[in-house]
Amino acid sequence: MTTQHDRAARPPRFGRLRRTLLAALVAAAVVVPVSAAALPEAPAPAAVRFGEAVPLQERYAANRTALAEAARMAAGAGHDSRAAQLRAMASGRFLAFDGHRTGRAVEVLGDLAGARRVAVLVPGSDTTLDTYARFRAGAAALRERLLREGRGDTAVVAWLGYDTPGTVSPAVATTGRADDAARELTPFLSGLARLAPGAGISLLCHSYGSVVCARTATPAAVTDVVLYGSPGTGADRAADLPTSARVWAGRGAGDWIADVPHVRLELLCGSLGFGTDPVDPAFGARVFDAGGGGHSDYLTAGTASLARLARIAAGERP
């Protein structure tokens, strides 16, 4: 029989979770910088900068040339994997590209200039030029689903516009990278509204990308913000996010992110964790059924999550 004394002596569940989270972060703080320091940086040409009036086709052509040059330079320096990835990307249409460090890339799938809707995908941790094929496959699956449903007027933009944190790193449990990313994403969205005049924009934000979107002040053209596979946002309520858009949240039944403690710890150096679970009714988002998939399955062809994300992207109810 459990006594009141036994219950009092037993550490609270969330106390154990907090200690586990902190232990993991301390271990990551030691291991990750050491391993990352051993990775040499691939050379790349200077990123192309564009004024507001530069036509889309000119942007695509300039970045295609930059990708080909970056692939050549990477191969010459022995970065064969990076070079192969860049060569595969060179057939795409990119609004932006920077091959330095982990890289930046903003790719368009569909007719941006003639779009009635635009879906902007914001990725989570460990998304870099070296893993871009995975991110690109999700964007392509979303575009294909939209085409199958007769929504070819919805363009898809794959926005790798920030330095994503590593999955096992101190940065993945703080808002630092997200704050930096939000300062890039806000002006990008304003520029996108000029490139696709009159189009409604949906932000589809996966995992740590949901932290980015939750900290991004959105222009009026953004009608929907979708948080999926989210660890939390750093906000207690959807109403606290800097947007007037509809806020959606979904999580697959097999997503391990459900086991991440939804706590926020205030420390001298900042905060750890992201607080309220976005699919919790207390958060106040419009929760949609994301099916039974896992953390990396949301944009996989044939899944319930992809079908529902496509409907939101097209401006419909999921």
Side-chain angles (χ1 to χ4, degrees):
M1 178 175 173
T2 301
T3 67
Q4 184 175 358
H5 174 76
D6 291 332
R7 287 194 297 269
R10 189 176 298 162
R13 178 171 177 265
F14 279 112
R16 291 197 299 271
L17 290 172
R18 287 187 177 95
R19 287 196 295 274
T20 300
L21 177 62
L22 287 170
L25 290 169
V26 169
V30 174
V31 173
V32 173
V34 171
S35 59
L39 299 174
E41 182 179 337
V48 182
R49 306 298 178 191
F50 302 100
E52 288 185 11
V54 177
L56 283 172
Q57 296 303 322
E58 187 174 329
R59 294 170 187 249
Y60 297 155
N63 283 315
R64 192 173 298 118
T65 299
L67 276 157
E69 177 62 11
R72 186 193 65 77
M73 293 174 68
H79 293 264
D80 295 336
S81 178
R82 170 69 66 92
Q85 179 62 70
L86 295 173
R87 284 193 292 268
M89 292 168 63
S91 61
R93 294 180 295 179
F94 286 83
L95 288 175
F97 167 72
D98 187 342
H100 295 92
R101 301 182 63 192
T102 59
R104 301 283 209 282
V106 181
E107 185 175 7
V108 175
L109 292 83
D111 177 14
L112 185 58
R116 189 188 69 83
R117 300 279 309 177
V118 181
V120 178
L121 301 181
V122 180
S125 60
D126 286 325
T127 307
T128 67
L129 288 183
D130 297 305
T131 63
Y132 186 77
R134 180 182 61 199
F135 183 39
R136 191 184 211 186
L142 177 60
R143 172 65 179 166
E144 179 61 29
R145 179 76 193 199
L146 288 162
L147 288 171
R148 284 179 52 198
E149 295 186 357
R151 301 312 303 261
D153 57 356
T154 300
V156 176
V157 174
W159 188 82
L160 175 55
Y162 76 111
D163 289 329
T164 65
T167 298
V168 183
S169 73
V172 81
T174 70
T175 62
R177 297 284 181 94
D179 289 331
D180 291 342
R183 285 189 284 270
E184 299 292 333
L185 184 53
T186 292
F188 171 77
L189 293 172
S190 296
L192 185 62
R194 291 189 292 270
L195 292 171
I201 299 172
S202 298
L203 274 178
L204 274 56
C205 318
H206 178 235
S207 194
Y208 189 85
S210 67
V211 187
V212 173
C213 293
R215 307 181 83 76
T216 298
T218 63
V222 175
T223 62
D224 298 271
V225 175
V226 190
L227 315 172
Y228 57 101
S230 175
T233 65
D236 294 326
R237 303 177 304 153
D240 295 333
L241 305 187
T243 183
S244 60
R246 293 179 290 263
V247 178
W248 304 85
R251 183 170 62 224
D255 191 340
W256 58 261
I257 206 83
D259 297 324
V260 171
H262 290 284
V263 296
R264 185 167 63 249
L265 308 178
E266 299 299 331
L267 305 175
L268 292 176
C269 58
S271 62
L272 291 177
F274 304 113
T276 308
D277 186 345
V279 300
D280 188 322
F283 187 72
R286 303 176 185 217
V287 177
F288 65 94
D289 182 0
H295 192 65
S296 301
D297 299 332
Y298 290 94
L299 294 175
T300 299
T303 58
S305 54
L306 178 63
R308 293 186 172 99
L309 288 169
R311 285 198 282 273
I312 297 174
E316 302 169 358
R317 294 186 63 84

